[in-house]
């Protein structure tokens, strides 16, 4: 009798377990593929808590790339557009080309980097911090893995006011939208790099005059009034490309060129040519239409082309549309002579260089005079007129700054590719020094990347004076300090791979 009671009790204890097992089997049988995928991802994350899934995005195995672009053009009703340094106003209808936020996402299967281009005059500290904060909160992208670059378009709203606030908000929204779309667009890729020659399309925007002195475009319209002998020099003519071949998906072509976006003599507001991103817009859409690819432009250097400075027989183009179209042909030639390179682990780094701020006008004048004594070609110093206006404006701006200032610098690398960014208007000499100093097959040297620190002339520009030098906040040699730091960081990143 006792044995029978024990058996009954054992059966009673097993019944709930059997019911539970049947319930689990039923749930498993009715689970959707999406549910199973989520369960698998959860289990993977438990096994490896360091593996990043970036929200809903499953990263492809191996190296991959994705693309996104959103239009952020101001409307006629809402956006007065600040032009010519904010001294004049026009409205949305003055835009010759639309304005965009563009993003290229790259992934090594574990990490993601987002490479952004903005049609903005520059990227100030507020915009950079807010944009990268959004990427961290919404997608888990660390600040050092987001690269921001501006095309330097003066037709985008900048300065102060409700129009600017709204435009900044639209661009911040564009950051989030592009991140989402670019990561959803990720596809396994092969990587190719190319180089092109833009000789005749961009010149340093200072003139050699008949009397042996130099003159800049901000001193006078030398080409119209004073018949210069030549431009001081050709700007760095080398254009760089990166192409992501994604099989059945559209290729992504990235372009880096050391060329100021230019004042277009054929497009005027208030009688003056406007510094715009029309050159960039013409380049990227010509490439896209002719080759059926996505095209993203990353701005390199400042202080070069200005269509008012055209000297017959030197420059090939009469306006920025022509420059953009000609540069697009160079891009296509570069793509015909590519080299395949390897991707690798994505690494990002943000560092700072502490630099001395130059505040005193007498200090600047003395430095100029000392340099001029040693110069083989004399630069006439203009104590009155337009230069005094710029002196006063920029010295007033610097008066409130501390004696030193930290300048942020940005670096991202993957395999044979590197991106180097300075938070200022980089001159092409700095771009060439960075490329020559780092151990990568292709390096994009970019200005306007997260901070509005103004012109950063190289040491050899100081004896020649003119606008870039007069308006520079920092003492001679600062550009070289920034180059040295970027070279150091990128070299260490490569050796650690």
């Amino acid at each position: 009798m006792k044995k029978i009671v024990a058996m009954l009790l054992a059966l009673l204890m097993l019944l709930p377990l059997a019911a539970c097992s049947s319930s689990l089997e039923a749930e498993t049988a009715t689970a959707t593929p999406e549910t199973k995928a989520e369960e698998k991802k959860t289990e993977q994350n438990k096994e490896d808590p360091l593996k990043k899934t970036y929200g809903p995005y499953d990263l492809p195995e191996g190296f991959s790339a994705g693309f996104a672009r959103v239009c952020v053009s101001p409307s006629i009703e809402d956006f007065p557009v600040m032009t010519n340094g904010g001294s004049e106003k026009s409205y949305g209808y003055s835009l010759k080309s639309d304005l965009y936020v563009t993003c290229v996402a790259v992934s090594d299967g574990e990490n993601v980097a987002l490479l952004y281009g903005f049609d903005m005059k520059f990227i100030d500290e507020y915009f950079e911090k807010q944009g990268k904060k959004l990427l961290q909160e919404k997608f888990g992208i660390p600040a050092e893995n987001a690269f921001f670059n501006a095309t330097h378009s003066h037709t985008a709203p900048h300065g102060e006011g409700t129009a600017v606030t709204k435009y900044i908000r639209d661009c911040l929204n564009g950051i989030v939208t592009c991140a989402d779309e670019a990561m959803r667009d990720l596809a396994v890729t092969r990587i190719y790099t190319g180089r092109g020659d833009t000789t005749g399309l961009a010149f340093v925007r200072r003139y050699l005059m008949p009397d042996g002195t130099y003159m800049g475009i901000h001193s006078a319209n030398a080409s119209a009034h004073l018949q210069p002998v030549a431009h001081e020099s050709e700007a760095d003519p080398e254009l760089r490309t990166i192409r992501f071949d994604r099989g059945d998906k559209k290729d992504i072509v990235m372009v880096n060129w050391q060329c100021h976006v230019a004042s277009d003599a054929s497009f005027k507001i208030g009688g003056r040519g406007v510094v715009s991103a029309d050159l960039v817009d013409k380049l990227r859409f010509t490439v896209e239409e002719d080759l059926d690819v996505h095209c993203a432009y990353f701005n390199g250097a400042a202080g070069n082309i200005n269509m008012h400075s055209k000297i017959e027989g030197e420059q090939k183009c009469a306006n920025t549309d022509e420059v953009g179209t000609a540069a697009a042909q160079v891009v296509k030639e570069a793509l015909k002579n590519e080299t395949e390179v390897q991707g690798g682990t994505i690494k990002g780094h943000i560092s700072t260089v502490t630099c001395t701020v130059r505040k005193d006008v007498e200090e600047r004048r003395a430095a100029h005079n000392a340099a001029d004594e040693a110069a083989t070609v004399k630069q006439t110093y203009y104590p009155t007129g337009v230069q005094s206006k710029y002196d006063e404006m920029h010295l007033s701006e610097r008066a409130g700054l501390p004696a030193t200032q930290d300048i942020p610098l940005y670096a991202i690398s993957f395999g044979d590719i590197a991106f180097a960014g300075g938070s200022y208007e980089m001159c092409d000499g700095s771009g060439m020094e960075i490329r020559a100093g780092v151990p990568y097959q292709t390096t994009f040297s970019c200005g306007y990347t997260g901070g509005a620190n103004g012109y950063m002339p190289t040491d050899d520009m100081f004896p020649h004076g003119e606008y870039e030098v007069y308006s520079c906040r920092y003492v001679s040699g600062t550009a070289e300090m920034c180059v040295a730091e970027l070279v150091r960081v990128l070299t260490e990143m490569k050796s650690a791979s």
Side-chain angles (χ1 to χ4, degrees), residues 24-235:
L24 285 172
E25 287 174 6
E27 287 180 16
T28 303
T30 58
T32 64
E34 291 78 8
T35 305
K36 290 181 179 179
E38 282 300 317
E39 289 172 356
K40 183 179 178 182
K41 187 186 296 183
T42 303
E43 288 303 313
Q44 287 174 341
N45 289 341
K46 284 179 183 177
E47 293 170 10
D48 182 4
L50 296 179
K51 183 175 177 66
K52 301 180 181 67
T53 57
Y54 296 99
Y57 315 102
D58 280 316
L59 304 182
E61 291 185 10
F63 206 89
S64 60
F67 179 88
R69 177 189 290 135
V70 296
C71 181
V72 288
S73 290
S75 67
I76 296 172
E77 295 80 11
D78 295 338
F79 288 98
V81 179
M82 305 294 289
T83 64
N84 299 318
S87 59
E88 297 177 7
K89 288 186 180 180
S90 62
Y91 293 86
Y93 60 77
S94 68
L95 289 176
K96 185 177 173 185
S97 303
D98 279 325
L99 304 173
Y100 296 92
V101 174
T102 302
C103 177
V104 176
V106 291
S107 168
D108 58 16
E110 294 286 336
N111 307 286
V112 172
L114 299 176
L115 308 163
Y116 280 93
F118 299 94
D119 286 339
M120 305 174 76
K121 184 181 178 185
F122 47 70
I123 302 204
D124 63 20
E125 186 177 3
Y126 167 82
F127 184 84
E128 188 221 354
K129 287 185 175 179
Q130 291 300 311
K132 292 185 177 181
K133 182 181 178 184
L134 285 170
L135 291 174
Q136 174 71 54
E137 291 175 349
K138 293 182 178 295
F139 306 104
I141 305 292
E144 61 270 21
N145 280 20
F147 192 87
F148 287 4
N149 175 245
T151 58
H152 197 50
S153 175
H154 288 43
T155 58
H158 62 274
E160 298 178 353
T162 55
V164 178
T165 302
K166 190 173 188 304
Y167 188 71
I168 293 298
R169 186 167 65 247
D170 286 348
C171 286
L172 289 172
N173 289 336
I175 288 175
V176 175
T177 301
C178 278
D180 174 64
E181 293 181 2
M183 283 195 281
R184 291 181 188 279
D185 187 52
L186 284 169
V188 174
T189 185
R190 298 175 72 174
I191 308 171
Y192 298 85
T193 65
R195 301 181 185 185
D197 183 0
T198 63
T199 299
L201 298 185
F203 293 81
V204 171
R205 59 184 187 186
R206 292 183 299 276
Y207 309 97
L208 176 62
M209 305 307 293
D211 63 356
T213 62
Y214 287 113
M215 178 178 284
I217 60 167
H218 292 83
S219 294
N221 188 347
S223 60
H225 299 98
L226 301 175
Q227 298 302 310
V229 175
H231 289 278
E232 180 190 354
S233 64
E234 177 103 33

Side-chain angles (χ1 to χ4, degrees), residues 214-410:
Y214 287 113
M215 178 178 284
I217 60 167
H218 292 83
S219 294
N221 188 347
S223 60
H225 299 98
L226 301 175
Q227 298 302 310
V229 175
H231 289 278
E232 180 190 354
S233 64
E234 177 103 33
D236 174 21
E238 188 166 274
L239 177 148
R240 299 279 179 120
T241 62
I242 301 169
R243 182 172 67 89
F244 295 111
D245 182 341
R246 305 189 302 157
D248 294 337
K249 280 196 171 184
K250 271 191 182 183
D251 289 0
I252 301 168
V253 174
M254 303 177 75
V255 180
N256 179 226
W257 182 27
Q258 311 274 9
C259 179
H260 193 280
V261 290
S263 292
D264 190 345
S266 67
F267 176 50
K268 294 181 173 63
I269 298 174
R272 298 177 62 183
V274 177
V275 181
S276 69
D278 300 326
L279 179 163
V280 174
D281 197 59
K282 194 71 173 178
L283 182 156
R284 60 193 173 199
F285 283 107
T286 299
V287 170
E288 289 189 349
E289 289 169 7
D290 290 356
L291 301 179
D292 191 27
V293 298
H294 298 302
C295 183
Y297 182 89
F298 286 79
N299 212 18
N304 296 329
I305 191 172
N306 184 292
M307 299 317 299
H308 286 299
S309 68
K310 180 173 172 60
I311 299 176
E312 295 299 331
E314 287 200 26
Q315 283 168 274
K316 297 177 181 177
C317 304
N319 57 57
T320 56
D321 278 355
E322 290 183 13
V323 175
T325 302
Q329 301 310 310
V330 175
V331 171
K332 290 190 281 186
E333 288 300 316
L335 296 176
K336 292 177 183 177
N337 300 286
E338 297 175 315
T339 301
E340 185 170 7
V341 299
Q342 298 303 308
T345 302
I346 291 170
K347 299 175 184 176
H349 187 84
I350 300 174
S351 59
T352 58
V353 172
T354 302
C355 301
T356 303
V357 176
R358 185 183 61 178
K359 297 182 181 181
D360 185 79
V361 66
E362 292 304 322
E363 175 189 344
R364 196 265 298 137
R365 190 190 299 257
H368 165 82
N369 289 340
D372 193 47
E373 287 298 319
T376 53
V377 177
K378 301 302 179 185
Q379 164 64 49
T380 303
Y381 175 71
Y382 299 94
T384 58
V386 116
Q387 296 298 354
S388 291
K389 180 184 77 171
Y390 286 119
D391 284 349
E392 181 181 354
M393 177 173 70
H394 292 295
L395 288 168
S396 170
E397 174 198 74
R398 296 198 291 268
L401 294 176
T404 61
Q405 191 170 354
D406 288 342
I407 298 178
L409 303 167
Y410 306 88

